[in-house]
Amino acid sequence: MTVARPPEPIPGARLLFSLDPAVSYLNHGAFGAVPVSVQRAQQRLRDEMESNPLRFFTQGLAERIGHTRRHLATFLGADPEGTALVGNATTGVAVVLHSLGLRAGDEVLTTDHGYGAVGFSIERECRRTGAGTRALRVPLSATDEEVVEIVRAGLRPGRTRLLVIDQLTSPTARLFPVAAVVQVARERGVPVLVDAAHVPGMLPVDVGAVGADFWVGNLHKWAFAPRGTAVLVVAPQWRERIEPLVVSWEQGAGFPGNVEWQATQDYTGWLSAPAGLYALRSLGLDRVRAHNAALAAYGQRVVGDALGVAPADLPDPGGPAVAMRIVPLPPGVATTLDTARELRDRIAERLAAEVAVMAWDDRGWLRLGAQVYNSAQEYERLAVRLPPLLARP
Ligand SMILES: Cc1ncc(COP(=O)(O)O)c(C=O)c1O
């Protein structure tokens, strides 16, 4: 099969990062990668902090955090008054679960495309409170209308206290029609938490228009922020009920200050996050998005072709800007969490390529991401080397 041409590379983009040139880094979605300019911005702030820690923490830090919050919220179309900076999406989810006041008989509804650690968090909160949890099965090929219908049929008004749905799923790299899902849930009086961990930077988004009760997104994946930078956006009717996980000096300030101020920790990552947006904008947001989505689609096709997967069997993420794509692995390969991790490590060690390997729906899947520092040759090399590796366990 001949595979369509890859997008033109963005000249010099790889040099903006400090990635090991010997490794094909095809998993930006896991932990992001921070441009050197942003690393430098954070280091300058750390130098300032270490020159006089007391002054750094007591003279103007709260204002700087507030400025950063407004900057990031505006970028996402979120209300700055309803946005709290948090360390990561997982923390944002935990704050919401902790604040819900679940009771025995309640349930938290999810889908089978949810993120594993978020699932564990839900399970623990349900165990602690006597509530239950249920995951809706959503076939990979479901259309947006079918997804909305599955959710509509799955809601149990009066009992479902929260629906957790991903905007862009981790194991399947699928966009879910979250605005329509939120509307259906609202009609039935069910609050919705949208897990949008991968959305900031990758996809254009207007959080206000999504209309969820809660929305969490990571800036440290696709928005080039230092790790530990995420937002939790909360609708007005919930803000007074939000309980931070750690009680500290801003407890009396209410949301968002009480969630943001988590005692003594390194806040320089948050303050450097606008430098990540600056780096994205300097490259050109639209150019970056178009490049990454086209390269991910190219990577999916060449690797899929090498594994003998017909183009029609390559899942479509459901949106033109998605910069991650999945490829089914041969039956029986990487079908469990442990064997998926083992294969990921083997690919890293033997093929010098970092990829995500997911076990989902009793199958193993390769998830390939694309970022401005990637080239078509990296996917082509993987396509040549992967089949012999899989043939030789
Ligand atoms: C959908 C989804 N939710 C949550 C997370 C957790 O992100 P973090 O580790 O930054 O909390 C991830 C990470 O990949 C994710 O893909």
Side-chain angles (χ1 to χ4, degrees), residues 37-118:
S37 60
V38 182
Q39 296 177 38
R40 295 276 180 275
Q42 185 175 19
Q43 190 55 50
R44 281 196 296 277
L45 286 160
R46 284 185 166 147
D47 291 345
E48 181 191 335
M49 178 165 65
E50 293 313 324
S51 75
N52 186 337
L54 199 95
R55 193 163 85 183
F56 185 84
F57 276 88
T58 60
Q59 305 296 316
L61 180 55
E63 290 75 12
R64 282 168 135 181
I65 292 173
H67 176 75
T68 303
R69 175 203 307 136
R70 286 190 290 278
H71 191 123
L72 301 183
T74 305
F75 174 71
L76 297 169
D79 174 5
E81 303 303 312
T83 301
L85 293 166
V86 288
N88 44 57
T90 307
T91 301
V93 169
V95 170
V96 172
L97 292 170
H98 175 70
S99 304
L100 276 181
L102 291 174
R103 297 211 205 113
D106 293 345
E107 72 166 16
V108 176
L109 189 60
T110 61
T111 76
D112 60 351
H113 296 244
Y115 184 69
V118 166

Coordinates of all heavy atoms in Angstrom, one line a residue, residues 37-118:
S37 N 13.3 27.1 26.1 CA 13.0 28.4 26.6 C 12.1 28.4 27.8 O 12.3 29.3 28.7 CB 12.2 29.2 25.5 OG 11.0 28.5 25.2
V38 N 11.2 27.5 28.0 CA 10.4 27.4 29.2 C 11.2 26.8 30.3 O 11.1 27.3 31.5 CB 9.2 26.5 28.9 CG1 8.2 26.4 30.1 CG2 8.4 27.0 27.7
Q39 N 12.1 25.9 30.1 CA 13.0 25.4 31.2 C 13.8 26.6 31.7 O 14.0 26.7 32.9 CB 13.9 24.3 30.6 CG 13.3 23.1 30.1 CD 14.3 22.1 29.5 OE1 15.4 22.0 30.0 NE2 13.9 21.4 28.5
R40 N 14.3 27.4 30.8 CA 15.1 28.6 31.2 C 14.2 29.6 32.0 O 14.7 30.1 33.0 CB 15.7 29.3 30.0 CG 16.6 28.5 29.2 CD 18.1 28.6 29.8 NE 19.0 27.8 29.0 CZ 19.2 26.5 29.2 NH1 18.5 25.8 30.1 NH2 20.0 25.8 28.4
A41 N 13.0 29.8 31.6 CA 12.1 30.7 32.3 C 11.9 30.2 33.7 O 12.0 31.0 34.7 CB 10.8 30.9 31.6
Q42 N 11.7 28.9 33.9 CA 11.5 28.4 35.2 C 12.8 28.5 36.0 O 12.8 28.8 37.2 CB 11.1 26.9 35.1 CG 10.7 26.3 36.5 CD 10.1 24.9 36.5 OE1 10.3 24.2 35.5 NE2 9.5 24.6 37.6
Q43 N 13.9 28.2 35.4 CA 15.2 28.3 36.1 C 15.5 29.7 36.6 O 15.9 29.9 37.8 CB 16.4 27.8 35.2 CG 17.7 27.6 36.0 CD 17.5 26.7 37.2 OE1 17.0 25.6 37.1 NE2 18.0 27.1 38.4
R44 N 15.1 30.7 35.8 CA 15.3 32.1 36.3 C 14.4 32.3 37.5 O 14.9 33.0 38.5 CB 14.9 33.1 35.2 CG 16.0 33.2 34.1 CD 15.8 34.5 33.3 NE 14.6 34.4 32.4 CZ 14.5 33.8 31.3 NH1 15.5 33.2 30.7 NH2 13.4 33.7 30.6
L45 N 13.2 31.8 37.5 CA 12.3 32.0 38.7 C 12.9 31.3 39.9 O 12.8 31.7 41.0 CB 10.9 31.5 38.4 CG 10.1 32.4 37.5 CD1 9.0 31.7 36.8 CD2 9.6 33.6 38.3
R46 N 13.5 30.1 39.7 CA 14.1 29.3 40.8 C 15.3 30.1 41.3 O 15.5 30.1 42.6 CB 14.5 27.9 40.3 CG 13.3 27.0 40.2 CD 13.7 25.6 39.9 NE 12.6 24.7 40.1 CZ 12.3 23.6 39.3 NH1 13.2 23.3 38.3 NH2 11.3 22.9 39.6
D47 N 16.0 30.7 40.5 CA 17.2 31.5 40.9 C 16.7 32.6 41.8 O 17.3 32.9 42.9 CB 18.0 32.1 39.7 CG 18.7 31.0 38.9 OD1 18.8 29.9 39.5 OD2 19.1 31.3 37.8
E48 N 15.6 33.3 41.3 CA 15.1 34.4 42.1 C 14.6 33.9 43.5 O 14.9 34.5 44.5 CB 13.9 35.0 41.4 CG 13.3 36.2 42.1 CD 11.9 36.6 41.4 OE1 11.7 36.3 40.2 OE2 11.1 37.2 42.2
M49 N 13.9 32.7 43.5 CA 13.4 32.1 44.7 C 14.6 31.8 45.7 O 14.5 32.1 46.9 CB 12.6 30.8 44.4 CG 12.1 30.1 45.6 SD 10.8 28.9 45.1 CE 11.8 27.7 44.1
E50 N 15.6 31.3 45.1 CA 16.7 30.9 46.0 C 17.6 32.1 46.5 O 18.3 32.0 47.5 CB 17.6 29.8 45.3 CG 17.0 28.5 45.1 CD 16.2 28.0 46.3 OE1 16.7 28.2 47.5 OE2 15.1 27.4 46.1
S51 N 17.4 33.2 45.8 CA 18.2 34.4 46.3 C 17.6 34.9 47.6 O 18.3 35.6 48.4 CB 18.3 35.4 45.2 OG 17.0 36.1 45.1
N52 N 16.3 34.7 47.8 CA 15.6 35.2 49.0 C 14.3 34.5 49.1 O 13.2 35.0 48.7 CB 15.5 36.7 49.0 CG 14.9 37.2 50.4 OD1 14.3 36.4 51.1 ND2 15.1 38.4 50.7
P53 N 14.3 33.2 49.6 CA 13.0 32.5 49.6 C 11.9 33.2 50.3 O 10.7 33.2 49.9 CB 13.4 31.2 50.4 CG 14.9 31.0 50.1 CD 15.4 32.4 50.1
L54 N 12.2 33.8 51.5 CA 11.1 34.5 52.2 C 10.5 35.6 51.4 O 9.2 35.7 51.3 CB 11.6 35.1 53.5 CG 10.4 35.3 54.4 CD1 10.2 34.1 55.4 CD2 10.5 36.6 55.1
R55 N 11.3 36.4 50.7 CA 10.7 37.4 49.9 C 9.9 36.8 48.7 O 8.8 37.3 48.4 CB 11.8 38.3 49.3 CG 11.2 39.6 48.8 CD 12.2 40.7 48.6 NE 12.9 40.5 47.3 CZ 13.9 41.3 46.9 NH1 14.4 42.2 47.7 NH2 14.5 41.1 45.8
F56 N 10.5 35.8 48.1 CA 9.8 35.2 47.0 C 8.3 34.7 47.3 O 7.4 34.9 46.6 CB 10.6 34.0 46.4 CG 10.0 33.4 45.2 CD1 10.3 33.9 43.9 CD2 9.1 32.3 45.2 CE1 9.7 33.3 42.8 CE2 8.6 31.7 44.1 CZ 8.9 32.3 42.9
F57 N 8.3 34.1 48.5 CA 7.0 33.5 48.9 C 6.0 34.6 49.5 O 4.8 34.4 49.4 CB 7.2 32.4 50.0 CG 7.4 31.1 49.3 CD1 8.7 30.7 49.0 CD2 6.4 30.2 49.0 CE1 9.0 29.5 48.3 CE2 6.6 29.0 48.3 CZ 7.9 28.6 48.0
T58 N 6.6 35.6 50.1 CA 5.7 36.6 50.8 C 5.4 37.9 50.1 O 4.5 38.6 50.4 CB 6.2 36.9 52.2 OG1 7.5 37.5 52.1 CG2 6.3 35.7 53.1
Q59 N 6.2 38.2 49.1 CA 6.1 39.5 48.4 C 5.6 39.3 46.9 O 6.5 39.2 46.0 CB 7.4 40.3 48.4 CG 8.0 40.5 49.8 CD 7.1 41.4 50.7 OE1 6.5 42.4 50.2 NE2 6.9 40.9 51.9
G60 N 4.3 39.1 46.7 CA 3.8 39.1 45.4 C 3.6 37.8 44.7 O 3.1 37.7 43.6
L61 N 3.9 36.7 45.5 CA 3.6 35.4 44.8 C 2.2 35.1 44.5 O 1.8 34.7 43.4 CB 4.2 34.2 45.7 CG 4.0 32.8 45.2 CD1 4.6 32.7 43.7 CD2 4.7 31.8 46.1
A62 N 1.3 35.5 45.5 CA -0.1 35.3 45.3 C -0.6 36.1 44.0 O -1.4 35.5 43.2 CB -0.9 35.7 46.5
E63 N -0.1 37.3 43.8 CA -0.5 38.1 42.7 C 0.0 37.4 41.4 O -0.7 37.4 40.4 CB 0.0 39.5 42.8 CG -0.6 40.4 43.8 CD -0.2 40.0 45.2 OE1 0.8 39.3 45.4 OE2 -0.9 40.5 46.2
R64 N 1.2 36.9 41.5 CA 1.8 36.2 40.3 C 1.0 35.0 39.9 O 0.7 34.7 38.7 CB 3.3 35.8 40.5 CG 4.2 37.0 40.4 CD 5.6 36.6 41.0 NE 6.7 37.0 40.2 CZ 7.9 36.7 40.4 NH1 8.3 36.0 41.5 NH2 8.9 37.1 39.7
I65 N 0.6 34.2 40.9 CA -0.2 33.0 40.7 C -1.6 33.5 40.0 O -2.1 32.9 39.1 CB -0.4 32.2 41.9 CG1 0.9 31.6 42.4 CG2 -1.5 31.1 41.8 CD1 0.8 30.9 43.7
G66 N -2.1 34.6 40.6 CA -3.4 35.1 40.1 C -3.3 35.5 38.6 O -4.1 35.2 37.8
H67 N -2.2 36.1 38.3 CA -1.9 36.6 36.9 C -1.8 35.4 36.0 O -2.4 35.3 34.9 CB -0.6 37.4 36.9 CG -0.2 37.8 35.6 ND1 -0.8 38.9 34.9 CD2 0.8 37.4 34.7 CE1 -0.3 39.0 33.7 NE2 0.7 38.1 33.6
T68 N -1.1 34.4 36.5 CA -0.9 33.1 35.6 C -2.3 32.5 35.4 O -2.6 32.0 34.3 CB 0.0 32.1 36.3 OG1 1.3 32.8 36.6 CG2 0.2 30.9 35.5
R69 N -3.1 32.4 36.5 CA -4.4 31.8 36.4 C -5.2 32.5 35.4 O -5.9 31.9 34.5 CB -5.1 31.9 37.8 CG -6.5 31.4 37.8 CD -7.3 32.0 38.9 NE -6.6 31.8 40.2 CZ -6.5 32.8 41.1 NH1 -7.0 34.0 40.9 NH2 -5.9 32.5 42.2
R70 N -5.2 33.8 35.4 CA -6.0 34.6 34.4 C -5.5 34.3 33.0 O -6.3 34.2 32.1 CB -6.0 36.1 34.8 CG -6.9 36.4 36.0 CD -7.0 37.9 36.2 NE -5.8 38.5 36.6 CZ -5.3 38.6 37.8 NH1 -6.0 38.0 38.8 NH2 -4.2 39.1 38.1
H71 N -4.2 34.3 32.8 CA -3.6 34.1 31.5 C -4.1 32.7 31.0 O -4.6 32.6 29.8 CB -2.1 34.1 31.7 CG -1.4 34.2 30.4 ND1 -0.5 35.2 30.0 CD2 -1.4 33.3 29.3 CE1 0.0 35.0 28.8 NE2 -0.5 33.9 28.4
L72 N -3.9 31.7 31.8 CA -4.2 30.3 31.3 C -5.7 30.1 31.1 O -6.2 29.5 30.1 CB -3.7 29.3 32.3 CG -2.2 29.3 32.6 CD1 -1.8 28.1 33.5 CD2 -1.4 29.2 31.3
A73 N -6.5 30.7 32.0 CA -8.0 30.6 31.9 C -8.5 31.2 30.6 O -9.3 30.7 29.9 CB -8.7 31.2 33.1
T74 N -7.9 32.4 30.3 CA -8.3 33.1 29.1 C -8.0 32.3 27.9 O -8.8 32.2 26.9 CB -7.6 34.5 29.1 OG1 -8.0 35.2 30.3 CG2 -8.1 35.3 27.9
F75 N -6.8 31.7 27.9 CA -6.4 30.9 26.7 C -7.4 29.7 26.5 O -7.7 29.4 25.3 CB -5.0 30.3 27.0 CG -4.5 29.3 26.0 CD1 -4.1 29.7 24.7 CD2 -4.4 28.0 26.3 CE1 -3.7 28.8 23.8 CE2 -3.9 27.1 25.4 CZ -3.6 27.5 24.1
L76 N -8.0 29.2 27.6 CA -8.9 28.1 27.5 C -10.3 28.5 27.3 O -11.2 27.6 27.2 CB -8.7 27.2 28.7 CG -7.3 26.6 28.9 CD1 -7.1 25.9 30.2 CD2 -7.0 25.5 27.8
G77 N -10.6 29.7 27.4 CA -12.0 30.1 27.4 C -12.8 29.8 28.7 O -14.0 29.6 28.7
A78 N -12.0 29.8 29.8 CA -12.6 29.5 31.1 C -12.7 30.8 31.9 O -12.0 31.7 31.7 CB -11.8 28.5 31.8
D79 N -13.7 30.8 32.8 CA -13.8 31.9 33.7 C -12.7 31.9 34.7 O -12.6 31.0 35.5 CB -15.2 31.8 34.4 CG -15.4 32.8 35.5 OD1 -14.6 33.7 35.6 OD2 -16.4 32.7 36.2
P80 N -11.8 33.0 34.7 CA -10.7 33.0 35.7 C -11.1 32.8 37.1 O -10.4 32.2 37.9 CB -10.0 34.3 35.4 CG -10.5 34.8 34.1 CD -11.8 34.2 33.9
E81 N -12.3 33.4 37.5 CA -12.8 33.3 38.9 C -13.2 31.8 39.2 O -13.3 31.5 40.4 CB -14.1 34.1 39.1 CG -13.9 35.6 38.7 CD -12.7 36.2 39.5 OE1 -12.7 36.0 40.7 OE2 -11.9 36.9 38.9
G82 N -13.4 31.0 38.2 CA -13.8 29.6 38.5 C -12.7 28.7 38.1 O -13.0 27.5 38.0
T83 N -11.5 29.2 38.0 CA -10.4 28.3 37.6 C -9.3 28.3 38.7 O -8.9 29.3 39.2 CB -9.7 28.9 36.3 OG1 -10.7 29.0 35.2 CG2 -8.6 28.0 35.8
A84 N -8.9 27.1 39.0 CA -7.8 26.9 40.0 C -6.7 26.2 39.4 O -6.9 25.3 38.6 CB -8.3 26.1 41.2
L85 N -5.5 26.7 39.6 CA -4.3 26.0 39.2 C -4.1 24.8 40.2 O -4.3 24.9 41.4 CB -3.1 26.9 39.3 CG -3.1 28.0 38.3 CD1 -2.0 29.0 38.6 CD2 -2.9 27.5 36.9
V86 N -3.8 23.6 39.6 CA -3.6 22.4 40.4 C -2.3 21.7 39.8 O -1.9 22.1 38.7 CB -4.8 21.5 40.4 CG1 -5.9 22.0 41.3 CG2 -5.3 21.1 39.0
G87 N -1.8 20.7 40.5 CA -0.6 20.1 40.1 C -0.7 19.2 38.8 O 0.2 19.1 38.1
N88 N -1.9 18.6 38.7 CA -2.1 17.7 37.5 C -3.6 17.4 37.5 O -4.4 17.7 38.4 CB -1.3 16.5 37.7 CG -1.3 15.9 39.1 OD1 -2.4 15.6 39.6 ND2 -0.2 15.8 39.7
A89 N -4.0 16.8 36.4 CA -5.4 16.4 36.2 C -5.9 15.5 37.3 O -7.0 15.6 37.7 CB -5.6 15.8 34.8
T90 N -5.0 14.6 37.7 CA -5.4 13.6 38.7 C -5.8 14.3 40.0 O -6.8 13.9 40.6 CB -4.2 12.6 39.0 OG1 -3.8 12.1 37.8 CG2 -4.6 11.5 39.9
T91 N -5.1 15.3 40.4 CA -5.4 16.1 41.6 C -6.7 16.8 41.4 O -7.6 16.8 42.3 CB -4.3 17.1 41.9 OG1 -3.1 16.4 42.1 CG2 -4.6 18.0 43.1
G92 N -6.9 17.4 40.2 CA -8.2 18.1 39.9 C -9.4 17.2 40.1 O -10.4 17.5 40.7
V93 N -9.3 16.0 39.6 CA -10.3 15.0 39.7 C -10.6 14.6 41.2 O -11.7 14.6 41.7 CB -10.0 13.7 38.9 CG1 -11.0 12.6 39.3 CG2 -10.0 14.0 37.4
A94 N -9.5 14.4 41.9 CA -9.6 14.1 43.3 C -10.3 15.2 44.1 O -11.1 14.9 45.0 CB -8.2 13.8 43.9
V95 N -10.0 16.4 43.8 CA -10.6 17.5 44.5 C -12.2 17.5 44.3 O -13.0 17.6 45.2 CB -10.1 18.9 44.1 CG1 -10.9 20.0 44.6 CG2 -8.6 19.1 44.5
V96 N -12.5 17.2 43.1 CA -14.0 17.1 42.7 C -14.6 16.0 43.5 O -15.7 16.2 44.2 CB -14.2 17.0 41.2 CG1 -15.7 16.7 40.9 CG2 -13.7 18.2 40.5
L97 N -14.0 14.8 43.4 CA -14.6 13.6 44.1 C -14.8 13.9 45.6 O -15.8 13.6 46.2 CB -13.8 12.4 43.8 CG -13.7 11.9 42.4 CD1 -12.7 10.8 42.2 CD2 -15.1 11.4 41.9
H98 N -13.8 14.4 46.1 CA -13.7 14.7 47.6 C -14.8 15.7 48.0 O -15.3 15.7 49.1 CB -12.3 15.2 47.8 CG -12.0 15.7 49.2 ND1 -11.9 14.8 50.2 CD2 -11.8 16.9 49.7 CE1 -11.6 15.5 51.3 NE2 -11.6 16.8 51.0
S99 N -15.2 16.6 47.1 CA -16.1 17.7 47.4 C -17.6 17.3 47.2 O -18.5 18.1 47.5 CB -15.8 18.9 46.5 OG -14.4 19.3 46.7
L100 N -17.8 16.1 46.5 CA -19.1 15.8 46.1 C -20.1 15.5 47.2 O -21.3 15.6 47.1 CB -19.1 14.6 45.2 CG -18.8 14.8 43.7 CD1 -18.9 13.5 43.0 CD2 -19.8 15.8 43.1
G101 N -19.5 14.9 48.3 CA -20.4 14.4 49.4 C -21.2 13.2 49.0 O -22.4 13.1 49.2
L102 N -20.5 12.2 48.4 CA -21.2 11.0 48.0 C -21.7 10.2 49.2 O -21.1 10.3 50.2 CB -20.2 10.1 47.2 CG -19.8 10.6 45.8 CD1 -18.7 9.6 45.2 CD2 -20.9 10.6 44.8
R103 N -22.8 9.5 49.0 CA -23.3 8.7 50.1 C -23.7 7.3 49.5 O -23.7 7.1 48.3 CB -24.6 9.3 50.6 CG -24.4 10.7 51.1 CD -25.5 10.9 52.3 NE -25.7 12.3 52.4 CZ -26.8 13.0 52.1 NH1 -27.8 12.3 51.7 NH2 -26.9 14.3 52.2
A104 N -23.9 6.4 50.5 CA -24.3 5.0 50.1 C -25.5 5.1 49.2 O -26.4 5.9 49.4 CB -24.6 4.2 51.3
G105 N -25.5 4.4 48.1 CA -26.6 4.4 47.2 C -26.4 5.3 46.0 O -27.0 5.1 44.9
D106 N -25.5 6.2 46.1 CA -25.1 7.1 45.0 C -24.2 6.3 44.0 O -23.7 5.3 44.4 CB -24.3 8.3 45.4 CG -25.1 9.3 46.3 OD1 -26.4 9.1 46.3 OD2 -24.5 10.1 46.9
E107 N -24.1 6.8 42.8 CA -23.1 6.2 41.9 C -22.4 7.2 41.0 O -22.9 8.3 40.8 CB -23.8 5.2 40.9 CG -24.6 5.8 39.9 CD -25.0 4.9 38.7 OE1 -24.9 3.6 38.9 OE2 -25.5 5.4 37.7
V108 N -21.2 6.9 40.7 CA -20.4 7.7 39.7 C -20.3 6.9 38.4 O -20.0 5.7 38.4 CB -19.0 7.9 40.3 CG1 -18.2 8.7 39.2 CG2 -19.0 8.7 41.6
L109 N -20.7 7.6 37.4 CA -20.8 6.9 36.1 C -19.6 7.3 35.2 O -19.2 8.5 35.2 CB -22.1 7.3 35.4 CG -22.5 6.6 34.1 CD1 -22.7 5.1 34.3 CD2 -23.8 7.2 33.5
T110 N -19.0 6.3 34.6 CA -17.8 6.6 33.7 C -18.0 5.9 32.4 O -19.1 5.3 32.1 CB -16.5 6.1 34.4 OG1 -16.7 4.7 34.5 CG2 -16.3 6.7 35.7
T111 N -17.0 5.9 31.5 CA -17.0 5.1 30.3 C -15.8 4.2 30.4 O -14.9 4.4 31.2 CB -16.9 5.9 29.0 OG1 -15.6 6.4 28.9 CG2 -17.9 7.1 29.0
D112 N -15.8 3.2 29.5 CA -14.7 2.3 29.5 C -13.5 2.8 28.7 O -12.5 2.1 28.4 CB -15.1 0.9 28.9 CG -15.6 0.9 27.5 OD1 -15.9 2.1 27.0 OD2 -15.8 -0.1 26.9
H113 N -13.5 4.1 28.4 CA -12.4 4.8 27.7 C -11.6 5.7 28.8 O -10.8 6.5 28.4 CB -12.8 5.7 26.6 CG -13.4 4.9 25.4 ND1 -12.9 4.9 24.2 CD2 -14.6 4.2 25.4 CE1 -13.6 4.2 23.4 NE2 -14.7 3.7 24.1
G114 N -12.0 5.6 30.0 CA -11.5 6.5 31.0 C -10.0 6.2 31.4 O -9.5 5.1 31.1
Y115 N -9.4 7.1 32.0 CA -7.9 7.0 32.4 C -7.8 6.1 33.6 O -8.6 6.3 34.6 CB -7.4 8.4 32.6 CG -5.9 8.4 32.9 CD1 -5.0 8.1 31.9 CD2 -5.4 8.7 34.1 CE1 -3.6 8.1 32.1 CE2 -4.1 8.8 34.4 CZ -3.2 8.5 33.4 OH -1.8 8.5 33.6
G116 N -6.9 5.2 33.6 CA -6.8 4.2 34.7 C -6.7 4.8 36.1 O -7.5 4.4 37.0
A117 N -5.8 5.8 36.3 CA -5.7 6.3 37.6 C -6.9 7.1 38.1 O -7.2 7.1 39.3 CB -4.4 7.2 37.7
V118 N -7.6 7.7 37.1 CA -8.8 8.4 37.5 C -9.9 7.3 37.9 O -10.6 7.5 38.9 CB -9.3 9.2 36.3 CG1 -10.8 9.7 36.5 CG2 -8.4 10.4 36.1

